[in-house]
Amino acid sequence: MADPGTEHEVRPATTRRTFGPVVALGLASGALGAWAGSKPWVDGTGAESAPGMGSEGWGMAWGEVATSPLATALAFVVLACWGVLLVTRGRFRRAVAALAVLAALGYAATVVWAPLSLPDHLVEQVRRRTGLTLDDTSLTGWYWLAAVAALLVLASTVLALRLVRTWPEMGSRYDAPTGARGHDGADQSEAPADRPTDNIDIWKALDEGRDPTA
């Protein structure tokens, strides 16, 4: 029968090893999602063509119409959350992980909604700006790349929310000082009675020509 204490020690060690791979997956998928979101997701073809242009490639010509700015913005939110996760601790860190999951869900919803909205939007914009009519529209490879990115972004953020409590945190030595170390009884007993510990005492010692570190 396995010792419960041993199992409790092994499990945190295992989850700590997921920190690097999950963070790498989250950053890579977020960057991929932002890149794919800035590209045309819908293309169109028509019997008529603009001067100097073939009958295909309308999605590329009207890229600002066929893209999804919301998806790009949400991908950048996910990337920002990953950056915050690396430098925070405790409950705030878990709250940021939850925010990353919400942004990932938003990105996935945008990808799902795009085939229902972007084709009609592209047809309407081409008709309004050129007077031409598109016979057919289709999803581009950028859309399918965004769909893959949505799955990876969602998976990585859900893993982060589940495992973030066991991940290593930035040491407290990087925090801004909140007070003198003299509040610790052990440190007070080790320091000489006449050694200045507060900032004001250190400045007074320097004014008097004494070395506050001696």
Side-chain angles (χ1 to χ4, degrees):
M1 181 176 180
D3 185 4
T6 303
E7 182 180 356
H8 181 72
E9 292 175 0
V10 172
R11 185 173 299 174
T14 302
T15 53
R16 281 176 179 271
R17 286 197 294 267
T18 64
F19 176 72
V22 173
V23 171
L25 175 62
L27 292 174
S29 60
L32 179 63
W35 183 43
S38 65
K39 303 296 182 180
W41 285 6
V42 179
D43 199 1
T45 58
E48 299 174 322
S49 62
M53 180 178 176
S55 60
E56 67 276 343
W58 286 101
M60 299 298 177
W62 303 95
E64 72 279 4
V65 176
T67 58
S68 179
L70 178 59
T72 303
L74 289 171
F76 280 119
V77 171
V78 172
L79 288 174
C81 288
W82 281 113
V84 175
L85 281 174
L86 295 176
V87 298
T88 53
R89 303 192 303 271
R91 294 182 178 178
F92 181 74
R93 197 184 198 191
R94 293 192 292 272
V96 173
L99 176 61
V101 173
L102 293 178
L105 287 172
Y107 188 94
T110 302
V111 171
V112 172
W113 180 251
L116 304 178
S117 60
L118 282 183
D120 293 339
H121 189 47
L122 177 63
V123 170
E124 176 62 22
Q125 290 300 316
V126 170
R127 183 192 63 77
R128 181 181 301 176
R129 298 185 186 186
T130 68
L132 303 178
T133 302
L134 297 181
D135 294 337
D136 189 24
T137 59
S138 61
L139 299 174
T140 67
W142 295 111
Y143 170 80
W144 298 112
L145 187 63
V148 173
L151 294 176
L152 296 177
V153 167
L154 187 58
S156 61
T157 53
V158 170
L159 286 174
L161 181 61
R162 181 177 180 181
L163 302 173
V164 69
R165 293 185 180 183
T166 62
W167 282 353
E169 299 176 345
M170 178 176 288
S172 59
R173 64 180 179 274
Y174 296 104
D175 294 343
T178 57
R181 294 182 59 189
H183 294 291
D184 189 339
D187 291 341
Q188 286 179 339
S189 61
E190 294 175 1
D194 59 345
R195 177 179 296 177
T197 55
D198 295 331
N199 289 336
I200 188 171
D201 294 334
I202 293 175
W203 283 110
K204 286 182 178 179
L206 291 175
D207 290 339
E208 296 172 358
R210 294 185 292 108
D211 184 2
T213 63

